[in-house]
Amino acid sequence: MKFFLDTANLADIKYWNDMGLVDGVTTNPSLIAKEGGSFKSIIRDICAIVEGPVSVEATSVDTQGILEEARTYAQWSDNIVVKVPFIKEGVSALPVLRDEGIHTNTTLVFSANQALIAMKAGTSYVSPFIGRLDDIGHYGMEIVSEINDIKRNYSFKTEVIVASIRHSLHVLESARLGADIATIPASVLEKMFKHPLTDNGLERFLADWEAVEK
Ligand code: G3P
């Protein structure tokens, strides 16, 4: 499973990328706003660090506006993927962008039927928002399983990005379901390293090693 980092924080991206764990990055308007600074320079800086796909969200809500934004962002770097909201105007933009060779990530997806439509319209990636479904009492991971089934049944080329990940179990379940990609906040990736037995075990090995004659 590929790991994308779900952040626009350059320090976090550099840190985890240097460890070889970052296959791509996803951003959204909220993540960009959190960092402050110019949108374009943040995205260009991310693209200079990361070799893999970097998702940048279009904020227009009409097809023409989405197309224009997408064409602009696609010129910023070869690895730009344009995030398109799952609205009819966004879906209409998907086949046009596909035919122009611009990669898209359909975002704000909350059902398998929405994902099916996005896949048929030619999206490169589809992002089901798992945590936000859990928040309202739905089992978010269920739709990842449904989308994987649909993708397999019809051999869609779209890659599934499990998004809105809130904790390490979401990552584990994504991997067990065979999701293509999980986009992970840096705080969750940090927690995935933690196990008290690892810390205790290392402490004991190092203490015992002290007693060995060298
Ligand atoms: O990539 C989209 C995702 O970041 C949304 O996450 O935590 O705002 O639901 P969240």
Side-chain angles (χ1 to χ4, degrees):
M1 184 173 69
K2 286 181 246 183
F3 281 11
F4 284 6
L5 216 51
D6 195 25
T7 185
N9 183 277
L10 294 177
D12 284 340
I13 292 168
K14 187 160 177 10
Y15 178 81
W16 294 108
N17 189 62
D18 284 351
M19 211 178 285
L21 287 176
V22 178
D23 299 303
V25 166
T26 51
T27 68
N28 61 39
S30 309
L31 293 171
I32 296 284
K34 213 160 93 181
E35 297 309 314
S38 132
F39 169 48
K40 185 173 180 179
S41 73
I42 292 173
I43 296 300
R44 292 188 78 136
D45 287 347
I46 295 172
C47 290
I49 299 170
V50 175
E51 272 182 34
V54 174
S55 286
V56 180
E57 190 150 342
T59 51
S60 299
V61 289
D62 62 294
T63 305
Q64 199 49 39
I66 291 169
L67 290 173
E68 279 163 21
E69 277 190 70
R71 288 168 187 143
T72 302
Y73 303 152
Q75 284 172 15
W76 291 355
S77 180
D78 286 344
N79 49 344
I80 291 285
V81 172
V82 180
K83 260 186 166 177
V84 174
F86 187 85
I87 51 176
K88 284 180 184 163
E89 295 80 356
V91 170
S92 299
L94 294 172
V96 180
L97 294 172
R98 178 199 53 206
D99 293 348
E100 291 181 17
I102 295 174
H103 294 292
T104 51
N105 172 0
T106 304
T107 189
L108 291 168
V109 165
F110 293 94
S111 77
N113 268 339
Q114 290 179 326
L116 171 60
I117 289 168
M119 290 194 278
K120 278 188 71 69
T123 194
S124 322
Y125 302 90
V126 66
S127 290
F129 274 34
I130 299 318
R132 292 191 195 185
L133 279 169
D134 287 355
D135 287 345
I136 60 159
H138 289 260
Y139 177 48
M141 272 300 160
E142 185 72 35
I143 73 162
V144 175
S145 171
E146 291 171 348
I147 296 167
N148 273 354
D149 286 347
I150 294 167
K151 186 185 139 150
R152 210 174 305 116
N153 287 346
Y154 300 103
S155 305
F156 284 117
K157 298 276 178 279
T158 303
E159 289 188 76
V160 178
I161 305 180
V162 181
S164 187
I165 280 180
R166 300 281 163 75
H167 48 72
S168 48
L169 263 183
H170 278 152
V171 182
L172 179 63
E173 289 177 76
S174 302
R176 292 191 66 180
L177 287 173
D180 299 301
I181 302 157
T183 189
I184 311 172
S187 58
V188 173
L189 191 48
E190 183 73 46
K191 284 183 188 135
M192 287 168 64
F193 273 72
K194 295 285 176 209
H195 200 294
L197 290 180
T198 305
D199 298 340
N200 295 348
L202 182 63
E203 207 175 300
R204 261 166 47 198
F205 282 152
L206 293 180
D208 290 343
W209 188 243
E210 281 299 306
V212 174
E213 193 181 328
K214 288 143 197 143

